[in-house]
Amino acid sequence: MRHRRERLRWVTGLLSALALLGPAVTASPAVAADTQKSTRVAQGPVTWSADLSRVDADDVNVSFAHGALGLRRTDTRVTATTAGERGYGTQVLAPRTLDRPVNRVRAELSARTPSGARVTVEVRGRSAEGTWTEWREVEGTTAVALPRTVAAVQARLTLWDEDGRARVDGLRLTADRGPGPRAAGAAAAAVSARVFATREGLVGRTTANGHVIQPNDHFVALPSRRGLSPNGSGQYSVRVCGPARCETAPVWDVGPWNTRDDYWNPSSVRESFKDLPQGRPEAQAAYESGYNGGRDGSGRLVANPAGIDLADGTFADIGLADNGWVTVTYLWTGGSAGTSFPTWGTDVRVREQPTTRSREVSRLPGPTRVTVSCQVHGERITVEGITNDGWAYLPDHGGYVSNIFIDVPEAWLPGVPTC
């Protein structure tokens, strides 16, 4: 971090020196005309072909050989439990930064899918501030409408293939801006719900995003892939509050019970079970009121009302000794006013006031992305040789974190007002 800050100061100084050399040069009429032409062109669609050959840590159980993508093995399941479909693999493709704002995406898939196999394409968008929309499946050649205008698009390919014979030869994506929102709407609070939590356990097994579960791990599972973070990231995280305290944890697995139940979304955009109200998991409705004959989406008799699974570390840290009710805030659903930043560090405490003596209100178990609404000068602390008295207020967590843990070069966060 210190090196990045030094580089930033050097670049800032260079730009200031260049600014002193003289007034800006006025563009010639020909250049101006070219600029206007570029602006007109940039309003149309942009099309690109995905690079399927790049398989890395974000991907699960896939390999690229002989010009096509396929499964490495057929016994991998969509969740760390043994209940998910067998023959699962996924590739998270590199995001494409665009030169124009877009809000809808089309996909042209070239794939060989034997009987019983299928391949899905999901897309999401990243705003200029760095926040992602949820994943949405592209069906055929119909464009997927994103909930807001975005500056980058990413695709995710998923293979469902028990025999291991499906092959993906190519993927072509087209993004443009159609009717609908052109910018983010007014700030809104993130969705919260009171749901039943169960302990995931399953140390040594692999989650839906490729993470191998460790003892005392910190993550959660939700019953939909729409809010599944890539391995190692906290792009989709929840704040889960139990009897003792709250913790912020990333969504790294799918479950419990269902795999297509994004119950935190409004019924109008919910993937399945659209007749249930927002915030009510299908498993809870099945268990408590006999919804769907008391069974989950796969036909299993629901034995508890769970809407979230907690890894062992998260389960213990929030104070649960047994399965029980918790309050969960789905942080990516909020439009909290502020600026999005990445964080670094492990078990970072979020404090009620900008001092280490203040009460802990939440915790960031690992690197994630947070919204900062303002910053203040508080207690001066030193971490790993870095000293700073700046503290960032995180509205989604209701407290302050030292600016040291905001992963940017500057000690005082750029563009963030004083509280």
Side-chain angles (χ1 to χ4, degrees):
M1 288 181 66
R2 290 194 299 273
H3 293 162
R4 289 203 299 274
R5 287 175 182 164
E6 290 168 1
R7 286 199 298 270
L8 182 71
R9 293 190 187 102
W10 180 85
V11 171
T12 303
L14 176 60
L15 292 175
S16 299
L18 290 174
L20 294 174
L21 293 179
V25 178
T26 302
S28 68
V31 173
D34 287 343
T35 301
Q36 292 173 0
K37 180 179 179 181
S38 298
T39 301
R40 288 195 299 270
V41 172
Q43 292 175 350
V46 58
T47 299
W48 68 98
S49 295
D51 180 8
L52 306 182
S53 66
R54 179 181 167 186
V55 177
D56 55 27
D58 285 342
D59 307 322
V60 183
N61 191 39
V62 292
S63 62
F64 186 84
H66 308 295
L69 188 77
L71 294 183
R72 285 192 293 107
R73 49 191 296 174
T74 59
D75 58 350
T76 301
R77 298 179 183 271
V78 67
T79 75
T81 70
T82 58
E85 293 182 69
R86 190 172 64 86
Y88 162 84
T90 185
Q91 182 181 38
V92 181
L93 296 159
R96 178 82 171 195
T97 301
L98 308 176
D99 62 354
R100 68 209 70 178
V102 301
N103 61 8
R104 61 184 182 184
V105 185
R106 291 182 175 83
E108 299 175 57
L109 180 68
S110 174
R112 291 165 279 166
T113 52
S115 177
R118 71 184 192 277
V119 178
T120 61
V121 181
E122 296 159 289
V123 296
R124 63 176 182 169
R126 185 176 60 202
S127 68
E129 293 75 29
T131 58
W132 288 100
T133 67
E134 284 188 337
W135 294 101
R136 288 291 187 271
E137 185 174 342
V138 183
E139 298 182 1
T141 58
T142 303
V144 164
L146 301 175
R148 59 181 179 268
T149 299
V150 299
V153 170
Q154 188 170 35
R156 182 171 69 185
L157 282 169
T158 302
L159 285 72
W160 315 83
D161 180 21
E162 290 191 1
D163 297 326
R165 294 185 293 122
R167 295 292 182 272
V168 180
D169 304 305
L171 175 64
R172 188 175 175 86
L173 298 159
T174 299
D176 65 359
R177 188 162 71 182
R182 292 179 172 269
V191 174
S192 293
R194 185 77 173 166
V195 298
F196 193 77
T198 47
R199 173 179 165 269
E200 176 145 352
L202 304 175
V203 172
R205 292 190 183 172
T206 302
T207 66
N209 73 351
H211 171 71
V212 178
I213 301 176
Q214 305 297 312
N216 198 39
D217 225 338
H218 292 264
F219 69 86
V220 306
L222 293 177
S224 169
R225 298 176 72 251
R226 284 184 165 183
L228 180 65
S229 294
N231 194 3
S233 86
Q235 293 169 0
Y236 303 100
S237 294
V238 299
R239 183 173 186 249
V240 54
C241 297
R245 65 183 62 86
C246 299
E247 178 182 295
T248 298
V251 183
W252 282 357
D253 203 7
V254 176
W257 297 110
N258 290 295
T259 60
R260 298 173 68 89
D261 183 22
D262 52 325
Y263 61 83
W264 50 88
N265 278 322
S267 300
S268 59
V269 298
R270 192 165 171 163
E271 187 175 14
S272 301
F273 316 115
K274 293 179 179 290
D275 54 338
L276 290 176
Q278 184 179 15
R280 185 171 176 83
E282 189 276 343
Q284 182 180 340
Y287 182 81
E288 293 180 342
S289 57
Y291 179 85
N292 195 36
R295 300 180 182 276
D296 71 357
S298 299
R300 295 175 297 170
L301 188 65
V302 175
N304 62 54
I308 188 171
D309 266 341
L310 308 179
D312 288 355
T314 302
F315 190 89
D317 277 1
I318 67 171
L320 286 177
D322 197 359
N323 299 334
W325 294 91
V326 296
T327 299
V328 181
T329 303
Y330 310 85
L331 297 175
W332 68 93
T333 64
S336 300
T339 305
S340 177
F341 290 99
T343 70
W344 68 277
T346 302
D347 282 337
V348 177
R349 270 64 169 176
V350 181
R351 304 286 183 177
E352 190 173 42
Q353 299 296 329
T355 169
T356 57
R357 298 181 297 277
S358 181
R359 183 176 69 90
E360 177 186 328
V361 296
S362 187
R363 188 178 299 187
L364 309 178
T368 186
R369 184 166 284 276
V370 296
T371 297
V372 177
S373 61
C374 60
Q375 58 189 328
V376 298
H377 293 287
E379 180 185 354
R380 188 177 182 86
I381 65 172
T382 299
V383 178
E384 295 190 8
I386 304 170
T387 301
N388 196 354
D389 71 347
W391 290 73
Y393 183 74
L394 313 183
D396 293 328
H397 301 269
Y400 296 84
V401 67
S402 170
N403 283 2
I404 291 173
F405 295 104
I406 305 298
D407 198 8
V408 297
E410 299 86 351
W412 192 248
L413 305 182
V416 176
T418 301
C419 296

